[in-house]
mmCIF file of all heavy atoms in Angstrom:
data_model
loop_
_atom_site.group_PDB
_atom_site.id
_atom_site.type_symbol
_atom_site.label_atom_id
_atom_site.label_comp_id
_atom_site.label_asym_id
_atom_site.label_seq_id
_atom_site.Cartn_x
_atom_site.Cartn_y
_atom_site.Cartn_z
ATOM 1 N N SER A 1368 4.155 -0.388 -14.945
ATOM 2 C CA SER A 1368 5.490 0.126 -15.301
ATOM 3 C C SER A 1368 5.794 1.449 -14.606
ATOM 4 O O SER A 1368 6.756 2.130 -14.947
ATOM 5 C CB SER A 1368 5.583 0.300 -16.825
ATOM 6 O OG SER A 1368 4.546 1.169 -17.262
ATOM 7 N N ALA A 1369 4.967 1.835 -13.623
ATOM 8 C CA ALA A 1369 5.193 3.100 -12.903
ATOM 9 C C ALA A 1369 6.566 3.093 -12.245
ATOM 10 O O ALA A 1369 7.007 2.065 -11.713
ATOM 11 C CB ALA A 1369 4.111 3.286 -11.840
ATOM 12 N N THR A 1370 7.241 4.237 -12.281
ATOM 13 C CA THR A 1370 8.588 4.311 -11.698
ATOM 14 C C THR A 1370 8.557 4.795 -10.247
ATOM 15 O O THR A 1370 9.575 4.790 -9.573
ATOM 16 C CB THR A 1370 9.499 5.231 -12.539
ATOM 17 O OG1 THR A 1370 8.845 6.495 -12.673
ATOM 18 C CG2 THR A 1370 9.740 4.643 -13.918
ATOM 19 N N GLU A 1371 7.384 5.222 -9.780
ATOM 20 C CA GLU A 1371 7.198 5.637 -8.379
ATOM 21 C C GLU A 1371 6.031 4.829 -7.800
ATOM 22 O O GLU A 1371 5.154 4.376 -8.546
ATOM 23 C CB GLU A 1371 6.844 7.135 -8.298
ATOM 24 C CG GLU A 1371 7.930 8.071 -8.818
ATOM 25 C CD GLU A 1371 9.153 8.114 -7.922
ATOM 26 O OE1 GLU A 1371 8.996 7.856 -6.699
ATOM 27 O OE2 GLU A 1371 10.253 8.376 -8.425
ATOM 28 N N PRO A 1372 5.988 4.626 -6.452
ATOM 29 C CA PRO A 1372 4.873 3.876 -5.860
ATOM 30 C C PRO A 1372 3.517 4.504 -6.206
ATOM 31 O O PRO A 1372 3.370 5.729 -6.181
ATOM 32 C CB PRO A 1372 5.142 3.961 -4.359
ATOM 33 C CG PRO A 1372 6.618 4.177 -4.245
ATOM 34 C CD PRO A 1372 7.000 5.009 -5.433
ATOM 35 N N ILE A 1373 2.544 3.652 -6.540
ATOM 36 C CA ILE A 1373 1.196 4.164 -6.840
ATOM 37 C C ILE A 1373 0.246 3.924 -5.665
ATOM 38 O O ILE A 1373 -0.865 4.435 -5.632
ATOM 39 C CB ILE A 1373 0.619 3.540 -8.130
ATOM 40 C CG1 ILE A 1373 0.605 2.006 -8.051
ATOM 41 C CG2 ILE A 1373 1.390 3.991 -9.354
ATOM 42 C CD1 ILE A 1373 -0.080 1.328 -9.220
ATOM 43 N N LEU A 1374 0.706 3.114 -4.701
ATOM 44 C CA LEU A 1374 -0.067 2.875 -3.484
ATOM 45 C C LEU A 1374 0.811 3.162 -2.269
ATOM 46 O O LEU A 1374 1.965 2.732 -2.228
ATOM 47 C CB LEU A 1374 -0.541 1.418 -3.413
ATOM 48 C CG LEU A 1374 -1.694 0.996 -4.319
ATOM 49 C CD1 LEU A 1374 -1.941 -0.501 -4.180
ATOM 50 C CD2 LEU A 1374 -2.964 1.766 -3.985
ATOM 51 N N ASP A 1375 0.262 3.893 -1.293
ATOM 52 C CA ASP A 1375 1.001 4.130 -0.054
ATOM 53 C C ASP A 1375 0.028 4.133 1.121
ATOM 54 O O ASP A 1375 -1.185 3.969 0.955
ATOM 55 C CB ASP A 1375 1.801 5.438 -0.129
ATOM 56 C CG ASP A 1375 0.926 6.646 -0.422
ATOM 57 O OD1 ASP A 1375 -0.295 6.578 -0.160
ATOM 58 O OD2 ASP A 1375 1.452 7.661 -0.919
ATOM 59 N N ARG A 1376 0.572 4.330 2.295
ATOM 60 C CA ARG A 1376 -0.248 4.285 3.522
ATOM 61 C C ARG A 1376 -1.397 5.293 3.466
ATOM 62 O O ARG A 1376 -2.538 4.962 3.773
ATOM 63 C CB ARG A 1376 0.663 4.551 4.721
ATOM 64 C CG ARG A 1376 -0.113 4.663 6.013
ATOM 65 C CD ARG A 1376 0.762 4.915 7.221
ATOM 66 N NE ARG A 1376 -0.085 5.111 8.395
ATOM 67 C CZ ARG A 1376 0.319 4.965 9.639
ATOM 68 N NH1 ARG A 1376 1.574 4.621 9.895
ATOM 69 N NH2 ARG A 1376 -0.521 5.161 10.651
ATOM 70 N N ALA A 1377 -1.077 6.540 3.074
ATOM 71 C CA ALA A 1377 -2.091 7.610 3.085
ATOM 72 C C ALA A 1377 -3.281 7.254 2.197
ATOM 73 O O ALA A 1377 -4.451 7.403 2.593
ATOM 74 C CB ALA A 1377 -1.464 8.922 2.638
ATOM 75 N N LYS A 1378 -3.006 6.747 0.982
ATOM 76 C CA LYS A 1378 -4.086 6.404 0.053
ATOM 77 C C LYS A 1378 -4.956 5.272 0.612
ATOM 78 O O LYS A 1378 -6.184 5.300 0.497
ATOM 79 C CB LYS A 1378 -3.511 5.993 -1.306
ATOM 80 C CG LYS A 1378 -3.021 7.161 -2.141
ATOM 81 C CD LYS A 1378 -2.505 6.656 -3.490
ATOM 82 C CE LYS A 1378 -1.973 7.822 -4.323
ATOM 83 N NZ LYS A 1378 -1.329 7.371 -5.553
ATOM 84 N N LEU A 1379 -4.294 4.269 1.191
ATOM 85 C CA LEU A 1379 -5.044 3.128 1.714
ATOM 86 C C LEU A 1379 -5.872 3.523 2.934
ATOM 87 O O LEU A 1379 -7.004 3.056 3.104
ATOM 88 C CB LEU A 1379 -4.089 1.976 2.057
ATOM 89 C CG LEU A 1379 -3.456 1.284 0.837
ATOM 90 C CD1 LEU A 1379 -2.406 0.289 1.276
ATOM 91 C CD2 LEU A 1379 -4.511 0.585 -0.022
ATOM 92 N N GLU A 1380 -5.325 4.362 3.784
ATOM 93 C CA GLU A 1380 -6.074 4.808 4.965
ATOM 94 C C GLU A 1380 -7.343 5.552 4.569
ATOM 95 O O GLU A 1380 -8.392 5.420 5.199
ATOM 96 C CB GLU A 1380 -5.189 5.707 5.839
ATOM 97 C CG GLU A 1380 -4.280 4.917 6.770
ATOM 98 C CD GLU A 1380 -3.468 5.804 7.707
ATOM 99 O OE1 GLU A 1380 -2.962 6.853 7.252
ATOM 100 O OE2 GLU A 1380 -3.337 5.443 8.882
ATOM 101 N N MET A 1381 -7.245 6.316 3.479
ATOM 102 C CA MET A 1381 -8.418 7.063 3.007
ATOM 103 C C MET A 1381 -9.458 6.140 2.384
ATOM 104 O O MET A 1381 -10.668 6.357 2.520
ATOM 105 C CB MET A 1381 -7.999 8.111 1.964
ATOM 106 C CG MET A 1381 -7.346 9.343 2.579
ATOM 107 S SD MET A 1381 -6.809 10.486 1.312
ATOM 108 C CE MET A 1381 -8.363 10.975 0.599
ATOM 109 N N ALA A 1382 -8.994 5.090 1.698
ATOM 110 C CA ALA A 1382 -9.914 4.243 0.924
ATOM 111 C C ALA A 1382 -10.552 3.128 1.750
ATOM 112 O O ALA A 1382 -11.676 2.706 1.472
ATOM 113 C CB ALA A 1382 -9.171 3.641 -0.269
ATOM 114 N N LEU A 1383 -9.809 2.607 2.751
ATOM 115 C CA LEU A 1383 -10.289 1.441 3.485
ATOM 116 C C LEU A 1383 -10.971 1.835 4.792
ATOM 117 O O LEU A 1383 -10.636 2.853 5.401
ATOM 118 C CB LEU A 1383 -9.115 0.495 3.805
ATOM 119 C CG LEU A 1383 -8.307 -0.049 2.618
ATOM 120 C CD1 LEU A 1383 -7.163 -0.900 3.114
ATOM 121 C CD2 LEU A 1383 -9.190 -0.835 1.652
ATOM 122 N N GLU A 1384 -11.903 0.991 5.208
ATOM 123 C CA GLU A 1384 -12.525 1.171 6.529
ATOM 124 C C GLU A 1384 -11.477 0.869 7.607
ATOM 125 O O GLU A 1384 -10.568 0.062 7.367
ATOM 126 C CB GLU A 1384 -13.698 0.186 6.683
ATOM 127 C CG GLU A 1384 -14.858 0.445 5.738
ATOM 128 C CD GLU A 1384 -15.581 1.749 6.044
ATOM 129 O OE1 GLU A 1384 -15.629 2.137 7.233
ATOM 130 O OE2 GLU A 1384 -16.076 2.387 5.092
ATOM 131 N N PRO A 1385 -11.585 1.472 8.788
ATOM 132 C CA PRO A 1385 -10.625 1.158 9.858
ATOM 133 C C PRO A 1385 -10.608 -0.344 10.145
ATOM 134 O O PRO A 1385 -11.668 -0.964 10.320
ATOM 135 C CB PRO A 1385 -11.160 1.955 11.062
ATOM 136 C CG PRO A 1385 -11.978 3.056 10.455
ATOM 137 C CD PRO A 1385 -12.570 2.490 9.201
ATOM 138 N N GLY A 1386 -9.404 -0.925 10.120
ATOM 139 C CA GLY A 1386 -9.265 -2.357 10.411
ATOM 140 C C GLY A 1386 -9.601 -3.282 9.260
ATOM 141 O O GLY A 1386 -9.532 -4.500 9.389
ATOM 142 N N GLN A 1387 -9.983 -2.710 8.102
ATOM 143 C CA GLN A 1387 -10.338 -3.568 6.948
ATOM 144 C C GLN A 1387 -9.087 -4.275 6.423
ATOM 145 O O GLN A 1387 -8.109 -3.631 6.060
ATOM 146 C CB GLN A 1387 -10.950 -2.715 5.831
ATOM 147 C CG GLN A 1387 -11.400 -3.536 4.622
ATOM 148 C CD GLN A 1387 -11.947 -2.645 3.499
ATOM 149 O OE1 GLN A 1387 -12.363 -1.515 3.748
ATOM 150 N NE2 GLN A 1387 -11.943 -3.138 2.287
ATOM 151 N N PRO A 1388 -9.088 -5.625 6.378
ATOM 152 C CA PRO A 1388 -7.879 -6.349 5.951
ATOM 153 C C PRO A 1388 -7.676 -6.278 4.427
ATOM 154 O O PRO A 1388 -8.640 -6.197 3.661
ATOM 155 C CB PRO A 1388 -8.133 -7.788 6.396
ATOM 156 C CG PRO A 1388 -9.617 -7.905 6.418
ATOM 157 C CD PRO A 1388 -10.172 -6.538 6.749
ATOM 158 N N LEU A 1389 -6.409 -6.318 4.028
ATOM 159 C CA LEU A 1389 -6.080 -6.322 2.594
ATOM 160 C C LEU A 1389 -4.701 -6.953 2.418
ATOM 161 O O LEU A 1389 -3.792 -6.718 3.214
ATOM 162 C CB LEU A 1389 -6.060 -4.887 2.052
ATOM 163 C CG LEU A 1389 -5.746 -4.730 0.548
ATOM 164 C CD1 LEU A 1389 -6.883 -5.294 -0.308
ATOM 165 C CD2 LEU A 1389 -5.500 -3.258 0.201
ATOM 166 N N MET A 1390 -4.579 -7.765 1.369
ATOM 167 C CA MET A 1390 -3.273 -8.329 1.022
ATOM 168 C C MET A 1390 -2.789 -7.724 -0.265
ATOM 169 O O MET A 1390 -3.534 -7.656 -1.257
ATOM 170 C CB MET A 1390 -3.388 -9.844 0.856
ATOM 171 C CG MET A 1390 -3.112 -10.585 2.128
ATOM 172 S SD MET A 1390 -2.923 -12.324 1.785
ATOM 173 C CE MET A 1390 -3.542 -12.956 3.308
ATOM 174 N N LEU A 1391 -1.519 -7.294 -0.270
ATOM 175 C CA LEU A 1391 -0.921 -6.678 -1.465
ATOM 176 C C LEU A 1391 0.267 -7.517 -1.922
ATOM 177 O O LEU A 1391 1.157 -7.828 -1.111
ATOM 178 C CB LEU A 1391 -0.432 -5.261 -1.135
ATOM 179 C CG LEU A 1391 -1.482 -4.242 -0.706
ATOM 180 C CD1 LEU A 1391 -0.820 -3.046 -0.063
ATOM 181 C CD2 LEU A 1391 -2.319 -3.803 -1.902
ATOM 182 N N PHE A 1392 0.283 -7.878 -3.206
ATOM 183 C CA PHE A 1392 1.407 -8.612 -3.784
ATOM 184 C C PHE A 1392 2.002 -7.742 -4.901
ATOM 185 O O PHE A 1392 1.394 -7.599 -5.966
ATOM 186 C CB PHE A 1392 0.944 -9.972 -4.333
ATOM 187 C CG PHE A 1392 0.453 -10.900 -3.265
ATOM 188 C CD1 PHE A 1392 -0.876 -10.878 -2.862
ATOM 189 C CD2 PHE A 1392 1.321 -11.791 -2.647
ATOM 190 C CE1 PHE A 1392 -1.339 -11.721 -1.868
ATOM 191 C CE2 PHE A 1392 0.867 -12.644 -1.639
ATOM 192 C CZ PHE A 1392 -0.459 -12.605 -1.250
ATOM 193 N N ASP A 1393 3.146 -7.169 -4.608
ATOM 194 C CA ASP A 1393 3.769 -6.224 -5.543
ATOM 195 C C ASP A 1393 4.899 -6.935 -6.285
ATOM 196 O O ASP A 1393 5.942 -7.245 -5.708
ATOM 197 C CB ASP A 1393 4.315 -5.028 -4.750
ATOM 198 C CG ASP A 1393 4.954 -3.969 -5.646
ATOM 199 O OD1 ASP A 1393 4.848 -4.094 -6.878
ATOM 200 O OD2 ASP A 1393 5.564 -3.029 -5.105
ATOM 201 N N ILE A 1394 4.692 -7.228 -7.573
ATOM 202 C CA ILE A 1394 5.739 -7.938 -8.330
ATOM 203 C C ILE A 1394 6.435 -7.002 -9.312
ATOM 204 O O ILE A 1394 7.011 -7.437 -10.303
ATOM 205 C CB ILE A 1394 5.179 -9.204 -9.044
ATOM 206 C CG1 ILE A 1394 4.041 -8.854 -10.018
ATOM 207 C CG2 ILE A 1394 4.712 -10.225 -8.028
ATOM 208 C CD1 ILE A 1394 3.597 -10.038 -10.861
ATOM 209 N N SER A 1395 6.382 -5.711 -9.022
ATOM 210 C CA SER A 1395 7.023 -4.720 -9.904
ATOM 211 C C SER A 1395 8.355 -4.260 -9.330
ATOM 212 O O SER A 1395 8.536 -4.196 -8.128
ATOM 213 C CB SER A 1395 6.128 -3.486 -10.051
ATOM 214 O OG SER A 1395 4.881 -3.847 -10.556
ATOM 215 N N VAL A 1396 9.283 -3.960 -10.216
ATOM 216 C CA VAL A 1396 10.535 -3.269 -9.861
ATOM 217 C C VAL A 1396 10.745 -2.203 -10.915
ATOM 218 O O VAL A 1396 10.862 -2.535 -12.090
ATOM 219 C CB VAL A 1396 11.737 -4.247 -9.838
ATOM 220 C CG1 VAL A 1396 13.017 -3.478 -9.517
ATOM 221 C CG2 VAL A 1396 11.528 -5.349 -8.814
ATOM 222 N N PRO A 1397 10.767 -0.902 -10.524
ATOM 223 C CA PRO A 1397 10.613 -0.338 -9.189
ATOM 224 C C PRO A 1397 9.263 -0.710 -8.572
ATOM 225 O O PRO A 1397 8.287 -0.972 -9.271
ATOM 226 C CB PRO A 1397 10.698 1.163 -9.436
ATOM 227 C CG PRO A 1397 11.388 1.323 -10.746
ATOM 228 C CD PRO A 1397 10.990 0.130 -11.547
ATOM 229 N N ARG A 1398 9.215 -0.704 -7.233
ATOM 230 C CA ARG A 1398 8.008 -1.137 -6.519
ATOM 231 C C ARG A 1398 6.820 -0.202 -6.782
ATOM 232 O O ARG A 1398 6.982 1.007 -6.895
ATOM 233 C CB ARG A 1398 8.304 -1.189 -5.017
ATOM 234 C CG ARG A 1398 9.185 -2.357 -4.612
ATOM 235 C CD ARG A 1398 9.584 -2.291 -3.154
ATOM 236 N NE ARG A 1398 10.486 -1.184 -2.887
ATOM 237 C CZ ARG A 1398 10.989 -0.909 -1.688
ATOM 238 N NH1 ARG A 1398 10.663 -1.650 -0.651
ATOM 239 N NH2 ARG A 1398 11.811 0.119 -1.531
ATOM 240 N N ASN A 1399 5.655 -0.816 -6.862
ATOM 241 C CA ASN A 1399 4.401 -0.052 -6.996
ATOM 242 C C ASN A 1399 3.805 0.301 -5.632
ATOM 243 O O ASN A 1399 2.957 1.178 -5.521
ATOM 244 C CB ASN A 1399 3.350 -0.871 -7.760
ATOM 245 C CG ASN A 1399 3.631 -0.968 -9.247
ATOM 246 O OD1 ASN A 1399 2.982 -1.731 -9.948
ATOM 247 N ND2 ASN A 1399 4.598 -0.224 -9.761
ATOM 248 N N VAL A 1400 4.227 -0.440 -4.602
ATOM 249 C CA VAL A 1400 3.661 -0.260 -3.260
ATOM 250 C C VAL A 1400 4.731 0.290 -2.325
ATOM 251 O O VAL A 1400 5.805 -0.308 -2.181
ATOM 252 C CB VAL A 1400 3.115 -1.599 -2.710
ATOM 253 C CG1 VAL A 1400 2.558 -1.409 -1.293
ATOM 254 C CG2 VAL A 1400 2.039 -2.159 -3.639
ATOM 255 N N HIS A 1401 4.451 1.410 -1.702
ATOM 256 C CA HIS A 1401 5.411 2.053 -0.794
ATOM 257 C C HIS A 1401 5.585 1.200 0.469
ATOM 258 O O HIS A 1401 4.630 0.588 0.965
ATOM 259 C CB HIS A 1401 4.893 3.445 -0.402
ATOM 260 C CG HIS A 1401 5.962 4.325 0.156
ATOM 261 N ND1 HIS A 1401 6.479 4.153 1.421
ATOM 262 C CD2 HIS A 1401 6.622 5.395 -0.385
ATOM 263 C CE1 HIS A 1401 7.404 5.065 1.646
ATOM 264 N NE2 HIS A 1401 7.519 5.831 0.559
ATOM 265 N N ALA A 1402 6.811 1.196 0.990
ATOM 266 C CA ALA A 1402 7.107 0.386 2.189
ATOM 267 C C ALA A 1402 6.273 0.816 3.397
ATOM 268 O O ALA A 1402 6.041 0.025 4.313
ATOM 269 C CB ALA A 1402 8.597 0.472 2.509
ATOM 270 N N ASP A 1403 5.784 2.070 3.403
ATOM 271 C CA ASP A 1403 5.068 2.552 4.596
ATOM 272 C C ASP A 1403 3.694 1.880 4.801
ATOM 273 O O ASP A 1403 3.083 2.036 5.856
ATOM 274 C CB ASP A 1403 4.938 4.082 4.606
ATOM 275 C CG ASP A 1403 4.024 4.632 3.508
ATOM 276 O OD1 ASP A 1403 3.407 3.837 2.764
ATOM 277 O OD2 ASP A 1403 3.937 5.870 3.383
ATOM 278 N N VAL A 1404 3.213 1.091 3.804
ATOM 279 C CA VAL A 1404 1.929 0.393 4.012
ATOM 280 C C VAL A 1404 2.058 -0.676 5.102
ATOM 281 O O VAL A 1404 1.067 -1.070 5.716
ATOM 282 C CB VAL A 1404 1.381 -0.256 2.706
ATOM 283 C CG1 VAL A 1404 1.189 0.770 1.618
ATOM 284 C CG2 VAL A 1404 2.281 -1.383 2.231
ATOM 285 N N ASN A 1405 3.306 -1.119 5.342
ATOM 286 C CA ASN A 1405 3.525 -2.132 6.386
ATOM 287 C C ASN A 1405 3.244 -1.596 7.789
ATOM 288 O O ASN A 1405 3.147 -2.364 8.743
ATOM 289 C CB ASN A 1405 4.965 -2.663 6.312
ATOM 290 C CG ASN A 1405 5.201 -3.471 5.044
ATOM 291 O OD1 ASN A 1405 4.537 -4.476 4.819
ATOM 292 N ND2 ASN A 1405 6.111 -3.014 4.203
ATOM 293 N N GLU A 1406 3.133 -0.272 7.899
ATOM 294 C CA GLU A 1406 2.839 0.335 9.203
ATOM 295 C C GLU A 1406 1.371 0.111 9.608
ATOM 296 O O GLU A 1406 0.998 0.305 10.763
ATOM 297 C CB GLU A 1406 3.159 1.841 9.169
ATOM 298 C CG GLU A 1406 4.647 2.125 8.958
ATOM 299 C CD GLU A 1406 4.901 3.572 8.518
ATOM 300 O OE1 GLU A 1406 3.971 4.399 8.594
ATOM 301 O OE2 GLU A 1406 6.033 3.863 8.084
ATOM 302 N N LEU A 1407 0.546 -0.255 8.625
ATOM 303 C CA LEU A 1407 -0.876 -0.505 8.910
ATOM 304 C C LEU A 1407 -1.051 -1.965 9.329
ATOM 305 O O LEU A 1407 -0.706 -2.880 8.575
ATOM 306 C CB LEU A 1407 -1.727 -0.203 7.667
ATOM 307 C CG LEU A 1407 -1.679 1.261 7.193
ATOM 308 C CD1 LEU A 1407 -2.349 1.391 5.833
ATOM 309 C CD2 LEU A 1407 -2.367 2.170 8.201
ATOM 310 N N GLU A 1408 -1.585 -2.188 10.517
ATOM 311 C CA GLU A 1408 -1.650 -3.535 11.085
ATOM 312 C C GLU A 1408 -2.482 -4.500 10.246
ATOM 313 O O GLU A 1408 -2.178 -5.683 10.156
ATOM 314 C CB GLU A 1408 -2.248 -3.477 12.504
ATOM 315 C CG GLU A 1408 -1.243 -3.000 13.541
ATOM 316 C CD GLU A 1408 -1.834 -2.990 14.936
ATOM 317 O OE1 GLU A 1408 -2.750 -3.810 15.193
ATOM 318 O OE2 GLU A 1408 -1.394 -2.162 15.755
ATOM 319 N N HIS A 1409 -3.532 -4.013 9.633
ATOM 320 C CA HIS A 1409 -4.453 -4.896 8.904
ATOM 321 C C HIS A 1409 -4.029 -5.120 7.450
ATOM 322 O O HIS A 1409 -4.711 -5.812 6.705
ATOM 323 C CB HIS A 1409 -5.873 -4.329 8.958
ATOM 324 C CG HIS A 1409 -5.942 -2.871 8.571
ATOM 325 N ND1 HIS A 1409 -5.473 -1.874 9.409
ATOM 326 C CD2 HIS A 1409 -6.398 -2.254 7.452
ATOM 327 C CE1 HIS A 1409 -5.642 -0.699 8.810
ATOM 328 N NE2 HIS A 1409 -6.196 -0.899 7.637
#
C-alpha cells in the first residue's frame, strides 16, 4: 500500500550483481516500482 516507489534503479544496482537478471511484476497503484528500473538491461 506504499504511496511512493519502494524499488528503484539505485537500490537494485546496489543489491544485484552486475548483469544479474530479475523480473519485476508490479500490481500496485500507486506503483511500487519506479519507471527508472527499465534503464537496467538485465
Side-chain angles (χ1 to χ4, degrees):
S1368 57
T1370 54
E1371 297 290 333
I1373 56 174
L1374 285 176
D1375 57 22
R1376 174 180 176 159
K1378 284 182 182 173
L1379 290 173
E1380 277 184 318
M1381 283 177 65
L1383 302 177
E1384 294 293 328
Q1387 182 183 338
L1389 181 68
M1390 269 192 211
L1391 297 164
F1392 295 88
D1393 181 7
I1394 59 173
S1395 302
V1396 178
R1398 287 174 292 180
N1399 286 170
V1400 179
H1401 198 286
D1403 68 4
V1404 302
N1405 292 300
E1406 296 163 12
L1407 298 170
E1408 282 182 28
H1409 50 287

